[in-house]
Amino acid sequence: MGLLDGKVCFVTGAGRGIGEETVRRFAEEGAIVYGTDLINGSMDESFGKFCTQYKTEVIPMYFDVTDETASKSAIMQIKREQGRLDVLVNNAGIMQDNVIGMISYELMKKVFDVNVFAVLQITQLAAKLMMRQRSGSIVNISSIVGSEGAAGQTVYSASKGAVAAMTKAASKELSPYGIRVNAVAPGLINTDLFRAIGEKKIQENLSHVRMGRLGEPIDVANVITFLASDMSAYVTGEIIGVDGETHV
Amino acid sequence: MTNIEKYNNAFVNSLEITEDRLAGLKYQDIEAWDSVGHMTLVAAIEDAFDIMLDTDDIIDFNSYEKGKEILSKEEYGVAF
């Protein structure tokens, strides 16, 4: 029996990295999983594999999370097909930044549109279903830089700090409805997004990780799975670090 | 059940009021139609018509009559 047997889950940014691994872990634990990504067809192969391997439904949806109408349609599709939504993972995010003095308004808006406003919007939509069933778990993806900050990452840090604050506020508002809201705050995770900074920078960054290695997507996905499951039934409003004791 | 019956039932069941009080009823006229009651009402209406209201429409929905006007929009397609 899996930790998420029969639960209906929705994961944004599911095409790669932490999102894809979360979808895989959820399927492995018996969940019915809907995953979104931007690029048409990009999840078809992996999701097909998960379906076969774990004998459950893993359904790809392709849309931009900043598109309110598309997000609404996705939640409606889940409602019509499954009648409920048990878990939302707000994983979709972008990491773009610049040094202070070179941060354009356009950049700020782009990062906040995806990392903050879309999270709020999809949370509102999902919460409407969860409030009716008086249960649910929402897991947001913050970051270690959301509380600690990082030089050259002012915009990204601010956006992830907003996610942490949103998590705390939403947990207070939604707990009377039996809805839990938590976040994970990953440190340095071995994803394509992180590897894009280059090998030299990666080695520099590793010296700040006391466990001496980068985190893997599964390290984060395991904590998300715990927060999604009834194993964490009395946990809400928490921001859980997944960083191997990293100092930024 | 007709659309107006579905609409009225959503009010009656969510806000626990009688049908004769619906005409002219405005948001926060009665204790039950506060912000929490509003979300319960919206949920009942969405379930009754199998729709999902836009956030802006939920905010604008400030009376019994206004609700009918919103639901009559093309995107929701509810005719009264």
Side-chain angles (χ1 to χ4, degrees):
Chain A
M1 186 170 159
L3 284 175
L4 301 173
D5 266 347
K7 285 196 187 288
V8 179
C9 305
F10 180 38
V11 180
T12 68
R16 58 186 182 158
I18 293 168
E20 184 184 37
E21 186 58 19
T22 299
V23 170
R24 191 195 67 74
R25 282 291 289 121
F26 280 11
E28 189 175 33
E29 295 294 345
I32 296 161
V33 194
Y34 289 78
T36 78
D37 207 75
L38 205 53
I39 306 159
N40 259 329
S42 61
M43 300 178 292
D44 292 357
E45 194 184 329
S46 57
F47 279 27
K49 207 172 77 184
F50 300 154
C51 281
T52 311
Q53 194 174 353
Y54 302 118
K55 296 179 176 50
T56 187
E57 292 175 70
V58 185
I59 302 121
M61 299 165 121
Y62 296 100
F63 67 91
D64 181 347
V65 290
T66 65
D67 180 340
E68 186 183 347
T69 307
S71 298
K72 200 173 84 169
S73 298
I75 298 286
M76 277 298 283
Q77 183 185 333
I78 295 169
K79 185 188 172 201
R80 285 187 181 130
E81 291 178 357
Q82 309 294 342
R84 59 186 294 110
L85 176 61
D86 298 300
V87 176
L88 165 67
V89 181
N90 280 307
N91 172 68
I94 56 171
M95 188 191 284
Q96 292 180 6
D97 235 305
N98 215 330
V99 294
I100 290 170
M102 292 180 69
I103 302 167
S104 68
Y105 186 79
E106 195 184 342
L107 174 68
M108 297 178 213
K109 196 171 173 307
K110 190 175 174 189
V111 172
F112 270 72
D113 272 347
V114 179
N115 292 5
V116 182
F117 303 143
V119 173
L120 258 173
Q121 184 56 30
I122 293 176
T123 295
Q124 286 202 107
L125 293 167
K128 286 212 283 186
L129 297 193
M130 292 174 174
M131 283 161 95
R132 283 170 225 190
Q133 58 201 47
R134 300 193 79 80
S135 68
S137 172
I138 297 172
V139 184
N140 295 326
I141 311 298
S142 182
S143 164
I144 189 170
V145 302
S147 57
E148 303 301 319
Q153 288 199 310
T154 304
V155 182
Y156 183 73
S157 301
S159 74
K160 291 301 183 180
V163 169
M166 185 194 312
T167 300
K168 295 271 184 191
S171 75
K172 289 180 168 70
E173 191 165 330
L174 295 176
S175 55
Y177 298 95
I179 302 168
R180 300 183 294 107
V181 188
N182 293 287
V184 295
L188 308 176
I189 308 300
N190 189 14
T191 61
D192 293 345
L193 200 69
F194 178 70
R195 287 228 161 255
I197 68 172
E199 199 53 40
K200 191 173 167 232
K201 279 238 171 206
I202 290 172
Q203 290 310 318
E204 267 173 43
N205 279 315
L206 262 178
S207 65
H208 301 293
V209 185
R210 291 216 168 121
M211 286 187 79
R213 68 166 177 91
L214 293 178
E216 294 298 327
I218 194 168
D219 294 319
V220 184
N222 281 337
V223 180
I224 295 171
T225 304
F226 164 72
L227 290 172
S229 77
D230 294 339
M231 293 279 284
S232 58
Y234 202 53
V235 179
T236 191
E238 296 299 325
I239 318 292
I240 301 182
V242 188
D243 59 29
E245 192 62 76
T246 298
H247 294 268
V248 289
Chain B
M1 195 184 284
T2 65
N3 283 343
I4 192 68
E5 284 170 337
K6 286 185 197 172
Y7 184 67
N8 287 353
N9 276 352
F11 274 81
V12 168
N13 295 330
S14 307
L15 305 181
E16 295 179 343
I17 52 169
T18 51
E19 206 164 330
D20 59 299
R21 296 183 63 193
L22 295 181
L25 185 71
K26 290 189 172 54
Y27 177 56
Q28 293 187 334
D29 266 358
I30 55 172
E31 203 178 327
W33 198 358
D34 59 5
S35 57
V36 175
H38 191 57
M39 293 315 295
T40 307
L41 173 63
V42 166
I45 288 170
E46 288 181 341
D47 283 344
F49 296 105
D50 194 25
I51 55 171
M52 190 169 263
L53 294 170
D54 285 341
T55 309
D56 288 343
D57 287 330
I58 294 171
I59 295 163
D60 288 345
F61 189 160
N62 59 4
S63 70
Y64 172 78
E65 279 74 20
K66 183 70 182 178
K68 283 202 276 187
E69 191 186 312
I70 289 168
L71 291 179
S72 302
K73 285 181 175 182
E74 197 182 330
E75 61 194 288
Y76 306 123
V78 180
F80 290 102

